[in-house]
Amino acid sequence: MHLGFIIPFTIIMSVLLTICGIKLFQIYQLNSYRHKGVWHWFKETKFDFPIRYFALALLSLILCMVFFFAFPYSNIGNWYYAGGVFFVAFCVVFCIVQFKKKQKKPLKITPRVLRTLIVSLFWNAGTVFGLLMLGDVLGQGYYISAISALFIPANVALSFLILYPFERLNHMRYIKSAKQKLSVNQNLIKIGITGSYGKTSAKDILTIFLSKKFKTLKTPASFNTPLGIAKTINDNLTPDIEVLVAEMGARFHGDIAALCKIVEPKYAILTAIANQHLDTMKTLDGIFKTKYELIASLPNDGFAVFLEGSDRLQKAYEKCHTDKIIIQSENARVENERVTSDGTVFDMVIDDEMVSITTKLLGKHIPSMLLMCAAMAKKLGVSLEDIKNACEELEPTPHRLELIKAPHMTIIDNAYNSNPEGAKRALEVLASFEGLKVIITPGFVELGQDMEIAHIELGKDIAKHADIAILVGSSGETIKEGILKAIEEGNGDVSFSEKNINLVASLDEAMEYLKQIDGEKKTVLFENDLPDNYK
């Protein structure tokens, strides 16, 4: 083989193979760069992408072999190298197809991703060059290099693994900088919020309440990891900030404890404990212990808020000093709730002081959510009158029971609420609307052994509250089973028709089906449009 072929071919293919692996970089990012999370995605998707890489390698290898043996090498101008051109073409097509698919959370080219892409580029170059040299030594020419597509997952994983010590040190440096910045502001009020669901909504609500009295900084969007919180502190914490509200997420034991070591909160809100992330935490008790890490981290004069009615949350009350905890009781309660398609109205009572609340937020859970945040804000000195005024200003958190007016329909966007309780509440909101009621959902993720039961219960709730169900993906059959069970049981509040159950393979197919549904007045609930690492 000529160097005039080897060098350009190696460069071109290393670039193309690296681009072919972009999806894996996205999945690593969505899983906080954890190999365990990527392996879980492989299993959940039935090794879809490794199979695609195998198909790319096999097809390229066959074409390369055809031209290699059909046109023996004589000079550069013949068809001998044409198989390599097909290998390049197949990789280009693979990349085009990959990028044409819409990504809900596309890859963000952060410094870490950029560094890893460069390392992966060199790994792919070494793989292609090594296979070319091996083929030359064995007298088999260039066609062996086609199997380099098989090594894409391994090369991506090795790239992250090689850089792990550096990234870990950089991670620690970044967190140390955040902790030093926090230590300078001794008077900063630090609040941690966690729970199986409702974290982001509680964070947004509490921030608006506290902003009536304090200059408040919150972690943006779902920045609830160590680096996300550290970035918020390093980039945005100024000396005039009086309150920091930090959302704290967890998928594994110890995640919350690690976040508490950074923030060192004195105040906490625990929104709920449910079977979300049961797949990674194994048991409900394990989930409780992980979420309880926030309560356990508080100092003796700390203060935490949650609602009574949950056995797991009651454990937190029993294990903590009683002056840390406020629960829904005669001292903090809601009365006269009324939920409509226009919003929520109720009376809020805290320490015998009552105000009437009106908010645009939707759902039966909203009074309790606002009560939790109000109890914390009042503890910190915000008046109930200011809280009442703030409630009137509240807007839905994006993708969490967010109401969107669209041509010919009303949309309830609950795309980020991936838990059974959130789905139940969203369906109750859907039921409050007039006209045709449609739900589009792929179901839940990370519920472990409870997955099947949760999907059947979801089906039963759909039968009770919706008119048409468009079920997306592999969980559709189980959800359908729940709908059919509800129809068969024949409760008086179920009038769902089996013909209105529709199974589709993708969200795009669901949208096409939605266009075919007649009805001038229809409301569509998008319940848990899954992130790309679960598609």
Side-chain angles (χ1 to χ4, degrees), residues 201-372:
S201 296
K203 174 192 66 181
D204 292 343
I205 292 167
L206 179 62
T207 298
I208 291 174
F209 287 175
L210 293 174
S211 295
K212 293 293 182 180
K213 181 179 176 67
F214 304 100
K215 188 171 178 58
T216 305
L217 172 65
K218 67 175 180 178
T219 51
S222 293
F223 277 42
N224 54 23
T225 63
L227 280 181
I229 291 176
K231 179 175 175 59
T232 301
I233 295 167
N234 286 326
D235 295 351
N236 302 291
L237 185 64
T238 55
D240 60 332
I241 297 293
E242 298 172 284
V243 180
L244 171 65
V245 182
E247 178 182 338
M248 297 182 172
R251 295 187 68 226
F252 299 93
H253 302 307
D255 283 356
I256 298 295
L259 294 170
C260 289
K261 288 180 181 178
I262 300 171
V263 178
E264 297 183 342
K266 182 178 179 180
Y267 302 93
I269 290 180
L270 187 52
T271 60
I273 299 292
N275 56 0
Q276 187 64 19
H277 298 314
L278 189 63
D279 202 31
T280 55
M281 298 189 200
K282 306 307 180 185
T283 65
L284 281 170
D285 191 52
I287 294 171
F288 162 74
K289 288 178 180 177
T290 301
K291 300 299 182 182
Y292 175 74
E293 289 167 4
L294 174 58
I295 306 296
S297 75
L298 300 182
N300 286 335
D301 60 343
F303 181 77
V305 175
F306 65 84
L307 300 180
E308 72 178 342
S310 166
D311 291 341
R312 296 179 193 88
L313 291 180
Q314 192 64 27
K315 290 181 182 179
Y317 179 71
E318 294 167 356
K319 290 183 179 181
C320 289
H321 299 292
T322 55
D323 60 353
K324 280 188 183 182
I325 306 296
I326 180 171
I327 60 175
Q328 185 179 349
S329 64
E330 66 278 1
N331 295 324
R333 65 186 186 276
V334 296
E335 298 175 347
N336 305 317
E337 301 124 286
R338 185 164 57 87
V339 180
T340 70
S341 59
D342 296 319
T344 308
V345 178
F346 63 97
D347 294 328
M348 178 186 291
V349 182
I350 299 179
D351 297 332
D352 298 324
E353 186 179 353
M354 185 184 78
V355 289
S356 295
I357 302 293
T358 300
T359 177
K360 290 181 283 187
L361 302 186
L362 300 169
K364 291 182 178 179
H365 65 293
I366 289 301
S368 296
M369 176 72 75
L370 294 180
L371 178 68
M372 279 195 297

Side-chain angles (χ1 to χ4, degrees), residues 1 5 61 64-73 80-81 130-147:
M1 285 184 289
F5 168 78
L61 179 64
C64 287
M65 290 178 68
V66 167
F67 282 91
F68 177 83
F69 290 110
F71 302 97
Y73 176 79
Y80 176 78
Y81 289 123
L131 289 170
L132 286 172
M133 292 298 97
L134 178 63
D136 199 37
V137 169
L138 298 176
Q140 301 301 311
Y142 67 87
Y143 73 81
I144 294 178
S145 65
I147 68 172

Side-chain angles (χ1 to χ4, degrees), residues 360-419:
K360 290 181 283 187
L361 302 186
L362 300 169
K364 291 182 178 179
H365 65 293
I366 289 301
S368 296
M369 176 72 75
L370 294 180
L371 178 68
M372 279 195 297
C373 296
M376 178 61 75
K378 190 170 187 298
K379 172 72 175 179
L380 296 173
V382 181
S383 70
L384 276 188
E385 190 62 30
D386 281 342
I387 290 170
K388 172 185 176 179
N389 294 334
C391 287
E392 295 174 359
E393 302 168 9
L394 291 173
E395 296 290 341
T397 300
H399 308 298
R400 293 166 175 86
L401 286 178
E402 181 182 11
L403 205 61
I404 301 170
K405 297 293 184 180
H408 312 300
M409 73 179 82
T410 298
I411 293 173
I412 304 172
D413 181 359
N414 204 43
Y416 284 5
N417 263 345
S418 176
N419 64 83

Side-chain angles (χ1 to χ4, degrees), residues 24 41-42 45-55 149-150 153:
L24 301 184
W41 174 74
F42 278 150
T45 57
K46 299 180 180 178
F47 295 91
D48 176 51
F49 257 78
I51 291 171
R52 294 187 194 190
Y53 294 132
F54 175 80
L150 285 175

